[in-house]
Amino acid sequence: MKRLFRKVTIMSGVACGLFLMSCQDESQVTAIQAAEDVQKISQAPPAMTPNFRLSKFGNETLVYHSDGRIKQVNGTADPKFTGYSTYRVDYEYIGNSIVANRYHDNVKEKKMEWQLENGRASKLKVTNYKTGGVNVLSTIHAAYQYNGQNQLVKVILMDKVLSTVTVSYDNLGNAVKFLMVNNTKKGDEFFNMMKYEYTEYVGGPVELDKGETLPMHVFGQSTLGWIGDPYLPVFGNFGKHRVKKSIRTNYPATYKYTYNLDANGYVKKLNKLKQTGEFVESKELTYAIPIKNRL
């Protein structure tokens, strides 16, 4: 089954995805005050600060279409661990579907095709290619289910083994548990579980702005594989708080996360540490103002 998640994960170079939402800093909003006389003169609102868009996350550079949709992701990897040095993901939007083609050193590795319903991913087909990027190696299918709060609650993976991922949320709407089981003739067999603990959110952008920034906060690589893609805002609402700890059941390490913020409240650096406090890695984040929003 570990091979399954390597297949489904489109961003294998991303150790942590982010749920980053975009909005104006509350400190930049002037309250509307009424005059004391009977005419009640209203103060005009200030000019809005243009929303920023994530343009670089760690070793990945993001390219967008003019309408804000993700167009391409370019990244570099360590050949000692991955076997390739560069990768690229190209996104296409065709009717109610999104197609993402992933290339390793300019050789096609896989194609992911999402069907959308009401703006959310409903089905996924993953085609993996043999060495050389021409002949098909395998095909995987997945289906997504949501609740009335637009939260992803279940992913059904259909490969050689039928598997189900169930997502649980706390009372604030943050995704706190991803439970993976294999559905066998003898019943459901536990495979893996990820748990997340959150830190209090303080200022900064919290609302998704039509897909212009990442719709995720911090999730582990294997969890991203279960969902599909860390850069597509088509998987519902996962919460607005930042993860402070991730716990993986079948892996000994528990990771903690800290964040450095810029003046607007955006995360400018993500720091990953072991539970003991030992440093693991950092990822720098860079933002740019979309051309259409520039003053």
Side-chain angles (χ1 to χ4, degrees):
M1 286 304 298
K2 291 183 179 178
R3 179 176 60 86
L4 168 63
F5 296 126
R6 288 196 298 268
K7 292 179 181 178
V8 182
T9 305
I10 193 171
M11 288 291 150
S12 60
V14 182
C16 301
L18 281 179
F19 278 26
L20 291 177
M21 316 283 182
S22 160
C23 80
Q24 185 186 15
D25 190 334
E26 291 181 357
S27 65
Q28 298 172 346
V29 179
T30 302
I32 297 178
Q33 300 176 345
E36 294 182 358
D37 59 18
V38 292
Q39 293 184 355
K40 302 289 185 181
I41 301 174
S42 296
Q43 182 179 0
M48 298 293 288
T49 301
N51 290 310
F52 289 83
R53 177 187 297 157
L54 183 69
S55 60
K56 189 174 180 60
F57 171 50
N59 64 338
E60 297 191 334
T61 301
L62 287 70
V63 181
Y64 297 86
H65 291 286
S66 59
D67 60 6
R69 294 181 298 182
I70 186 70
K71 178 181 180 180
Q72 188 178 85
V73 174
N74 295 283
T76 57
D78 190 336
K80 292 185 296 184
F81 300 103
T82 62
Y84 58 91
S85 58
T86 64
Y87 57 90
R88 184 181 85 251
V89 183
D90 296 330
Y91 297 85
E92 301 176 52
Y93 301 84
I94 307 170
N96 289 323
S97 65
I98 301 174
V99 179
N101 290 292
R102 182 182 176 91
Y103 299 84
H104 285 166
D105 292 335
N106 293 320
V107 177
K108 192 171 184 178
E109 181 212 24
K110 71 175 59 180
K111 178 170 68 172
M112 304 185 76
E113 304 171 82
W114 290 272
Q115 295 297 316
L116 306 182
E117 293 182 7
N118 299 319
R120 300 179 307 196
S122 60
K123 295 180 181 179
L124 167 65
K125 177 182 177 182
V126 181
T127 303
N128 295 285
Y129 295 92
K130 295 181 180 179
T131 302
V134 178
N135 298 319
V136 174
L137 176 65
S138 63
T139 303
I140 304 170
H141 294 268
Y144 304 85
Q145 296 181 10
Y146 303 83
N147 61 18
Q149 286 72 50
N150 193 30
Q151 296 170 321
L152 178 66
V153 293
K154 186 176 291 186
V155 182
I156 302 172
L157 302 172
M158 291 157 278
D159 191 24
K160 296 178 180 179
V161 177
L162 180 66
S163 305
T164 302
V165 179
T166 303
V167 188
S168 301
Y169 298 82
D170 62 18
N171 58 2
L172 298 177
N174 299 306
V176 293
K177 184 171 71 173
F178 282 62
L179 174 63
M180 165 71 179
V181 298
N182 294 332
N183 310 120
T184 70
K185 294 180 179 179
K186 298 180 180 180
D188 294 340
E189 295 180 351
F190 172 84
F191 181 80
N192 194 5
M193 181 169 64
M194 291 288 295
K195 290 184 177 181
Y196 298 93
E197 297 179 9
Y198 291 82
T199 184
E200 181 181 359
Y201 190 90
V202 181
V206 295
E207 295 296 338
L208 176 63
D209 183 24
K210 298 180 181 179
E212 291 191 347
T213 58
L214 291 179
M216 292 188 177
H217 287 248
V218 179
F219 273 179
Q221 178 178 330
S222 59
T223 308
L224 287 177
W226 300 346
I227 297 172
D229 187 291
Y231 294 113
L232 290 176
V234 293
F235 304 104
N237 300 324
F238 292 91
K240 298 178 180 179
H241 290 72
R242 297 193 185 99
V243 169
K244 66 178 179 181
K245 182 187 294 186
S246 64
I247 306 167
R248 183 175 179 180
T249 301
N250 65 353
Y251 190 72
T254 294
Y255 292 109
K256 299 190 299 183
Y257 302 94
T258 62
Y259 308 87
N260 297 340
L261 309 182
D262 64 16
N264 294 314
Y266 289 86
V267 177
K268 64 180 181 181
K269 179 185 286 188
L270 163 67
N271 306 297
K272 182 179 180 181
L273 307 95
K274 292 183 179 179
Q275 178 64 21
T276 57
E278 181 182 352
F279 174 81
V280 177
E281 65 176 352
S282 289
K283 290 185 178 292
E284 301 281 348
L285 288 81
T286 304
Y287 301 87
I289 301 176
I291 294 176
K292 68 174 183 176
N293 289 345
R294 293 177 184 173
L295 298 177

